[in-house]
Amino acid sequence: MLALSRRSLVGLGLALPALGALRLAHGAPADPGPVQINFNESPWGPSAAARQAMAEGIANCGRYPYKAQYRLIDHFAAQHGLQADQVQVFCGSKLALQHAVMAFTQRGSLVLAEPSYEAPVEAAQARGTAVHAVPLDRQHAHDVDAMLAADAKPGMIYLCNPNNPTGTLTSRHAIERLLSRAPADSVVVVDEAYIHFSDAPSCIELVREHPRLLVLQTFSKLYGMAGARLGLAIGQAPLLRQLEVYDGENVAAAPTLLGGLASLADPQLVPTRKAANARLRDATIAWLGDRGWQCTASQTNCFMIDLRTPAQPVVERLAERGVLVGRVWRSWPNWMRVSVGSEHDMQRLREAFVQVMPG
Ligand code: PLP
């Protein structure tokens, strides 16, 4: 990520809604604030059922919600044909990922794609762990053969599918090749934060035959619960026990757990939101394509635009017009990531984009 920290980016986004509140206090019409399509969040937030469950969860906040956590684990495990001890709850999947880096890179490097989600790199670098970043292939999929060749004995191989920031997929065939050829002591972590938006099959079922596979999922993206912090790690019990060293058996917040359960119990939520996201994403990419701008072949709620010029100044000019996008990855300085927001968000993006990049 270039120069700007997440805190400064969040600050930029929050200053404008605060101004809106001020205007309201003086009787002026409310300013809806900037369009926030910069963190791959959901424009829809928790589903109606999740909101109701979360509101009811507040009443339970006087008690530790272990029962709700066990119910969530049992429900998810049953949906995927797993044992309950093959699912672990975290306050966000980023925490699970950070713990995975701590647990699995003690005697070996981290191998991952570039560009990809930076959290594992940051966790590895904070511990002085060697990192091998292997460029995505020409289709923007993980180049699993090059990743296998990057280090004969890595501690952890991280694969994000669909990949953040490109939104692109790596085939199941390639992932299975990675799993069958990875050294016996290495752990393969498949991050499926965005899998619900895509047609790709989850790797969860592969956990049964691969004791060194860890799959991560989150409620932050399609389920719209980023602010409630709920992520899952799925793997064989001995592997999950290696993560437990860092937080014991911690428990998430009651409203969060109940909101997660209500989301899992709604069979319409994934297909409905997946279709809405795909429609808005594909329409925006087609609009950009008509004007000569190439985008990555995204299967998720973010994509990248090749601006053919340094992207960071464009991010800043869009922000000045109240449209927060980004970020830019150092290895792809001319590409800008855009998250898929609501119809209104994408319309605002189009209006600002033509001003900033008249073509
Ligand atoms: N994994 C990927 C690929 C992400 O992009 C993100 C967040 O953007 C996360 C994990 C973290 O998600 P959570 O909100 O569950 O911590």
Side-chain angles (χ1 to χ4, degrees):
M1 186 172 164
L2 295 179
L4 293 171
S5 70
R6 176 173 286 255
R7 182 181 283 268
S8 64
L9 289 170
V10 167
L12 185 66
L14 290 184
L16 294 169
L19 267 178
L22 202 66
R23 278 205 206 109
L24 193 63
H26 288 85
D31 182 338
V35 168
Q36 298 180 53
I37 45 176
N38 50 342
F39 288 139
N40 294 353
E41 296 157 335
S42 166
W44 298 295
S47 70
R51 282 169 204 233
Q52 194 181 334
M54 291 168 92
E56 286 162 14
I58 294 172
N60 298 336
C61 278
R63 310 257 173 219
Y64 292 110
Y66 281 99
K67 268 192 200 151
Q69 181 147 311
Y70 298 145
R71 275 173 57 211
L72 178 80
I73 289 172
D74 290 346
H75 192 102
F76 187 87
Q79 282 184 328
H80 294 276
L82 300 165
Q83 304 297 317
D85 64 3
Q86 295 174 327
V87 182
Q88 217 171 75
V89 169
F90 286 84
C91 297
S93 64
K94 183 174 185 178
L95 191 63
L97 185 51
Q98 288 164 333
H99 287 184
V101 171
M102 288 195 261
F104 306 136
T105 63
Q106 286 179 6
R107 279 188 295 278
S109 67
L110 169 71
V111 175
L112 82 172
E114 177 60 40
S116 191
Y117 184 47
E118 316 94 323
V121 177
E122 287 158 9
Q125 283 172 345
R127 297 169 54 82
T129 300
V131 176
H132 302 285
V134 178
L136 294 173
D137 72 13
R138 290 164 67 90
Q139 278 75 44
H140 304 152
H142 288 69
D143 186 341
V144 298
D145 296 314
M147 289 171 81
L148 284 164
D151 186 351
K153 276 183 166 261
M156 173 173 149
I157 304 174
Y158 172 78
L159 189 148
C160 187
N161 197 42
N163 187 45
N164 176 11
T166 52
T168 45
L169 288 179
T170 299
S171 72
R172 175 60 160 263
H173 181 69
I175 297 175
E176 291 192 19
R177 193 161 74 250
L178 176 67
L179 285 167
S180 65
R181 298 198 186 157
D185 289 341
S186 309
V187 173
V188 174
V189 175
V190 178
D191 187 338
E192 296 189 341
Y194 301 95
I195 195 86
H196 309 101
F197 292 109
S198 80
D199 293 330
S202 166
C203 286
I204 287 179
E205 67 186 40
L206 300 178
V207 152
R208 269 181 243 118
E209 57 198 89
H210 289 284
R212 310 288 289 165
L213 168 64
L214 185 77
V215 179
L216 303 178
Q217 290 201 352
T218 181
F219 289 77
S220 295
K221 306 301 176 182
L222 183 138
Y223 293 117
M225 290 179 49
R229 313 304 301 129
L230 186 60
L232 298 176
I234 303 108
Q236 291 193 8
L239 195 69
L240 292 186
R241 275 200 293 277
Q242 291 188 54
L243 299 182
E244 249 176 46
V245 174
Y246 299 98
D247 65 351
E249 196 202 2
N250 207 353
V251 68
T256 295
L257 291 162
L258 296 178
L261 252 172
S263 304
L264 291 181
D266 179 353
Q268 291 312 314
L269 189 54
V270 173
T272 308
R273 289 191 170 187
K274 178 179 163 183
N277 174 76
R279 183 177 61 76
L280 289 162
R281 178 195 63 216
D282 295 347
T284 309
I285 289 177
W287 182 89
L288 287 161
D290 288 345
R291 282 152 188 80
W293 301 106
Q294 190 206 332
C295 298
T296 51
S298 172
Q299 288 293 309
T300 183
N301 70 334
C302 66
F303 58 90
M304 294 190 97
I305 312 172
D306 181 3
L307 298 174
R308 306 190 294 268
T309 184
Q312 188 57 36
V314 179
V315 171
E316 287 160 22
R317 291 206 295 275
L318 288 171
E320 284 160 16
R321 287 162 177 78
V323 177
L324 306 181
V325 302
R327 39 202 190 270
V328 179
W329 268 249
R330 209 179 288 277
S331 56
W332 284 27
N334 292 353
W335 294 72
M336 175 177 86
R337 189 185 74 179
V338 173
S339 309
V340 179
S342 65
E343 188 95 51
H344 167 263
D345 294 340
M346 302 327 275
Q347 178 58 30
R348 289 274 309 274
L349 169 72
R350 287 197 280 265
E351 288 161 12
F353 192 86
V354 285
Q355 291 172 15
V356 166
M357 301 295 287

